[in-house]
Amino acid sequence: GVERRTIATTPRGRPLHMLHAGAPDARRHVLFISRQHPPEVTGTRALEPFIAEVLGDSPLAQDFRRTFRIHVVPLMNPDGVDLGHWRHNTGGVDLNRDWVAFHQPETRAVRDEMARILAPEGSELWFFADFHSTRRDVFYTLDRALETRPADVLDPWIEHIRTSLPDYEVEDDPSD
């Protein structure tokens, strides 16, 4: 039940893929991305089992797919990865810093595809996660003053991480 679309071609001619799964007629959407920074392989390594769980056969996963349309960009920066860059794409820009200006073709492509997906009346982006990691930091927190959907999702999530991984010290240092 997974569809793959090429939403753009990078400056070096590589496809930028977005995967879609879940209820095709859902009004609630979730977006997951990975590998904005080429060496952050651990983000993709975390994305793979996460998506496998979401696409799995558990009752929770099945319910999730009935409720949400899932969109995944597993490789945001294929040119940067292929060229062995540290943080930037072919244009010399850190894609993680281009989500407001949208000057780069990769971020523009995701923005434009999500705008198309969210165009029908009543469609909303309910959740977005960037599987983006460095060393031990695998979960970056947000300022508690920011509105989230579902509301107040952050504290229960952090508590679950602390309970599930008692030897892992969660660094709760919110950023914008």
Side-chain angles (χ1 to χ4, degrees):
V2 177
E3 304 166 33
R4 181 178 72 179
R5 290 192 62 227
T6 300
I7 61 170
T9 302
T10 68
R12 294 183 60 91
R14 290 176 183 77
L16 185 61
H17 297 294
M18 184 180 277
L19 310 175
H20 308 277
D25 58 347
R27 297 291 187 188
R28 295 176 178 176
H29 298 265
V30 294
L31 172 63
F32 304 104
I33 66 170
S34 178
R35 209 88 188 262
Q36 289 190 85
H37 297 140
E40 294 181 355
V41 176
T42 52
T44 302
R45 296 290 306 246
L47 174 69
E48 290 171 357
F50 179 86
I51 295 300
E53 184 70 26
V54 167
L55 297 177
D57 294 328
S58 74
L60 181 60
Q62 291 176 29
D63 186 49
F64 188 83
R65 290 193 308 275
R66 282 190 293 271
T67 305
F68 294 98
R69 185 71 171 156
I70 303 151
H71 311 282
V72 182
V73 181
L75 179 56
M76 271 297 302
N77 190 352
D79 288 348
V81 168
D82 188 60
L83 294 169
H85 293 308
W86 180 249
R87 292 185 66 87
H88 58 277
N89 67 352
T90 299
V93 174
D94 179 344
L95 295 180
N96 196 41
R97 304 291 185 256
D98 192 48
W99 288 104
V100 174
F102 297 103
H103 291 302
Q104 298 307 301
E106 299 90 345
T107 54
R108 270 196 314 270
V110 173
R111 177 203 61 193
D112 294 350
E113 181 66 6
M114 289 308 296
R116 183 191 68 75
I117 288 166
L118 298 172
E121 176 115 14
S123 294
E124 296 180 272
L125 181 61
W126 270 69
F127 188 78
F128 166 76
D130 172 9
F131 282 76
H132 171 99
S133 63
T134 53
R135 296 187 187 179
R136 286 185 42 89
D137 293 331
V138 295
F139 185 76
Y140 295 91
T141 57
L142 298 171
D143 184 329
R144 299 304 194 279
L146 294 172
E147 181 182 346
T148 61
R149 276 192 210 160
D152 303 318
V153 69
L154 191 56
D155 289 324
W157 194 342
I158 289 173
E159 186 54 37
H160 180 73
I161 292 170
R162 284 187 174 128
T163 302
S164 301
L165 302 169
D167 295 332
Y168 177 75
E169 183 179 335
V170 174
E171 184 179 323
D172 188 1
D173 183 16
S175 68
D176 60 2

